[in-house]
Each structure stands twice: as C-alpha cells, then as structure tokens.
Amino acid sequence: MKPTTINLRDLKKMRLQRHWSQEQLAEMSGLSIRTIQRIENGENAGFESIKSLAAVFEIDIIDSDKKKEITQVRKEEAYIENIKGLYKLLAVAILSLIAPVILAITDATNWSVFLWLLLSWTVIIGIYSLNVFDFFGDEWKQKIIKKRFKKE
C-alpha cells in the first residue's frame, strides 16, 4: 500500500472509515483519548502525536494551514451576511410597495407612482445583487481571458 498524504483535519473521517472508536485509535497510537478528541476538534497536535497517528494509518499526515481556513470561514460568513442583507432589502421593498399597490388598485391615477417605486426598488436590489453575488469576479475574468487569448 502506497503511503498517501492526508490533512490532519480529516482524522475523524479516516477513523470512522475504518470503524474504529476513539478508544481503539488511542490504544493503537499510544495517545490518550483526550488527545484524539482534541485533534479531531481541530486543536493543535504535537509532532510526536502526528507521527504516532501517521504510523497507525500508514500515511503521512500534514497539518492544514489555519490561516487559510480562518480566511475561508470569514469569507463564508461575510457572504452569508450579504445574503441576509439582500433578503432584508427584499422584505423592505415588498412592505414598502404594499400601500402604493393598494392605492393604485383603488385609484387608477396612482399606478404611475407605484410603477416608479417598483422600478426604483428593482434598480436598488439589482445593484446590491451585483455586489453580493460578484458576477464579474475572478472566475469571470479568468473565463474571459481564456476565451479571448485561447489559453488552456
């Protein structure tokens, strides 16, 4: 069996694939159950612990770059906040259009006011959406460059 490299964060997945309990892994590796639990929860592992686990799984184990993980988590949280902001903006738009649509239904001369409000909200939500979903981000730029300059 050829040794492979696996991220230390995948320890629990590897253990469960082999149907091992934490106790069994602790016994085979010579580590305490608490150490196994801490590593599976994403805490730091000492070099000796990593070597013991690598021997048990017959692989090379590497620790992931925590800065990259933290950056990714922050990006995901910011994206979720932007989505929530979009939903809130949509809710405000809908609520602010209820009275004008009722007025427009009861008096046909008010349709122009309702339509201008609707157009305004559509533009505002469209601009916000362009920022939130980043339609013209790095992925789009790379696609255009590949297409224009026929890069593979």
Side-chain angles (χ1 to χ4, degrees), residues 104-116:
I105 290 170
T106 58
D107 184 6
T109 59
N110 292 325
W111 276 110
S112 62
V113 173
F114 169 74
L115 292 175
W116 277 109

Side-chain angles (χ1 to χ4, degrees), residues 28-146:
M28 288 186 283
S29 64
L31 301 172
S32 70
I33 295 172
R34 183 66 190 126
T35 300
I36 301 295
Q37 291 169 343
R38 281 196 301 264
I39 295 170
E40 286 185 358
N41 288 328
E43 294 181 30
N44 288 335
F47 184 68
E48 292 301 319
S49 298
I50 293 172
K51 282 181 19 181
S52 297
L53 292 169
V56 170
F57 288 109
E58 298 177 344
I59 58 171
D60 296 325
I61 298 183
I62 58 169
D63 197 0
S64 66
D65 186 355
K66 289 189 179 190
K67 289 181 183 177
K68 287 182 182 177
E69 287 181 14
I70 291 170
T71 302
Q72 181 63 30
V73 167
R74 287 187 180 146
K75 284 181 184 177
E76 291 168 0
E77 288 173 351
Y79 183 77
I80 294 301
E81 288 303 314
N82 285 334
I83 296 293
K84 285 171 38 178
L86 178 63
Y87 290 153
K88 289 175 186 177
L89 189 61
L90 283 170
V92 169
I94 291 168
L95 291 174
S96 70
L97 290 172
I98 291 174
V101 79
I102 291 171
L103 290 174
I105 290 170
T106 58
D107 184 6
T109 59
N110 292 325
W111 276 110
S112 62
V113 173
F114 169 74
L115 292 175
W116 277 109
L117 283 171
L118 181 63
L119 178 64
S120 300
W121 276 115
T122 303
V123 168
I124 292 168
I125 291 169
I127 291 169
Y128 188 87
S129 296
L130 284 174
N131 289 328
V132 168
F133 295 111
D134 195 22
F135 292 111
F136 304 108
D138 290 333
E139 193 174 306
W140 177 81
K141 284 191 273 188
Q142 293 301 323
K143 182 179 174 183
I144 295 299
I145 290 170
K146 283 181 183 178

Side-chain angles (χ1 to χ4, degrees), residues 142-152:
Q142 293 301 323
K143 182 179 174 183
I144 295 299
I145 290 170
K146 283 181 183 178
K147 184 177 179 182
R148 173 69 171 106
F149 298 104
K150 297 179 179 31
K151 290 184 178 183
E152 290 300 319

